[in-house]
Amino acid sequence: MTAPLIPYGRQAIEQEDIDAVVSVLRSDFLTQGPAVAQFERVLAEYCSARRAVAMNSATSALHIACLALGLGPGDWLWTTPNTFLASAYAGLFCGAEVDFVDIDLRTGNMSVDALAAKLEAAEQAGHLPKIVMPVHFSGLSCDMKGIRALGDRYGFRIVEDAAHAIGGTYLDGPVGDCRFSDVTVFSFHPVKVVTSAEGGAAMTNDDGLADRMCRLRSHGSTRDPALMQGEPDGPWDYQALEVGWNYRMTDVHAALGVSQMKRLDKYVSRRTQLADRYDRVLANSGLTLPARDASGKSAWHLYTVGWNEEASGISRREAFERLRESGIGVQVHYIPVHMQPLFQARGFRAGQFPNAEAHYARTLTLPLYATLTEDQQDTVVTRLNELLRR
Ligand SMILES: *Cc1c(COP(=O)(O)O)cnc(C)c1O
């Protein structure tokens, strides 16, 4: 496998990360030992949340969060079409129905107006969602206050898919503090802001939910005598209380996560600096630049522009291909989930979520990561300008 010269995102691994991983390999526990507990403490402290439950991916954490909130057959989960498959899969994994709420074209985030309108119609039709899952696209928080107000009115629970947003803020608090939601999920995939190679975490302020998520990630079983039915058979006893999965994070991954968390703020400020620099040099390019919002600071997982076919004279597709040919690893986020064959087969149709489709038609993700140098960024801009000036 060969990576483009300048990929759209990549991890930053330093010697201290390598040392942290090696020390776990020499220790007594390779999985679910002290490093996982430490990673959970670090995450909870960073986010001012009561609990963090680490898992092997954000996909797993989204699934377990929905299960713990009681999502099942006959229930509905609503998310945004402008996301990765995993947000919608969380509902399908639980046997629930999935539907989407269109986005605000400016931010790429779930539109609160569209959500309000859809809830009103769903109330009439008698199938309100049990869970609404907003996604903080590119690292910029959704209007969580607005979504929470609707949650209070219509009685749904909220799971934030914050895979892009660790290190970001919303209304003067860290994303992940769950002030406006039941659970917030982070991803530690290598392209995200900090990495554990693979990994995810579910943040919550509800001890009951956290305990249930801990059980569900590990076969639904417990060794806690207080939870067991009857007297334990002996000190070896464990009991299966409900079906669970093996979604455990290993100590090897957690040690990498702990080490990376020490540099999270540094990484976010570097990403912010580079995003500001893109904004300055692309100000007159004719491209639509990413939205800013007074409600919070983006974690800048992605820097996405809107391609302007009229002004440049070439299509987004041609721009994508030419940039890739010259070693610039541009990407497209996201193919609207309802347009995927899996969801078309479930009855979704083109035209149902026009803003998500319009976003998809023009969006282009430029390289942005903590170790991107200004020289590399200048190369990206030079190649872009060559296309725009033709
Ligand atoms: C990356 C991502 C996920 C999945 O994260 P994994 O840790 O790879 O499972 C889920 N939702 C969004 C929005 C993502 O970007």
Side-chain angles (χ1 to χ4, degrees), residues 8 55-62 80 82-88 133-138 161-164 185-192 196-201 301-302 333-334:
Y8 84 90
M55 284 175 244
N56 60 355
S57 70
T59 304
S60 303
L62 291 168
T80 162
N82 187 33
T83 186
F84 183 58
L85 301 169
S87 319
M133 183 182 288
V135 177
H136 306 315
F137 179 70
S138 78
D161 180 341
H164 299 184
V185 168
F186 294 132
S187 170
F188 307 111
H189 182 277
V191 296
K192 306 289 161 73
S196 63
E198 290 277 9
H301 164 51
L302 300 175
H333 296 95
Y334 282 100

Side-chain angles (χ1 to χ4, degrees), residues 302-323:
L302 300 175
Y303 189 91
T304 63
V305 297
W307 191 258
N308 184 335
E309 187 166 339
E310 291 81 62
S312 63
I314 63 170
S315 66
R316 191 268 310 269
R317 184 196 174 116
E318 193 178 347
F320 182 100
E321 286 173 346
R322 286 177 172 259
L323 288 163

Side-chain angles (χ1 to χ4, degrees), residues 162-185:
H164 299 184
I166 192 167
T169 66
Y170 176 69
L171 297 183
D172 299 320
V175 170
D177 66 5
C178 302
R179 258 178 307 162
F180 301 99
S181 65
D182 296 284
V183 180
T184 301
V185 168

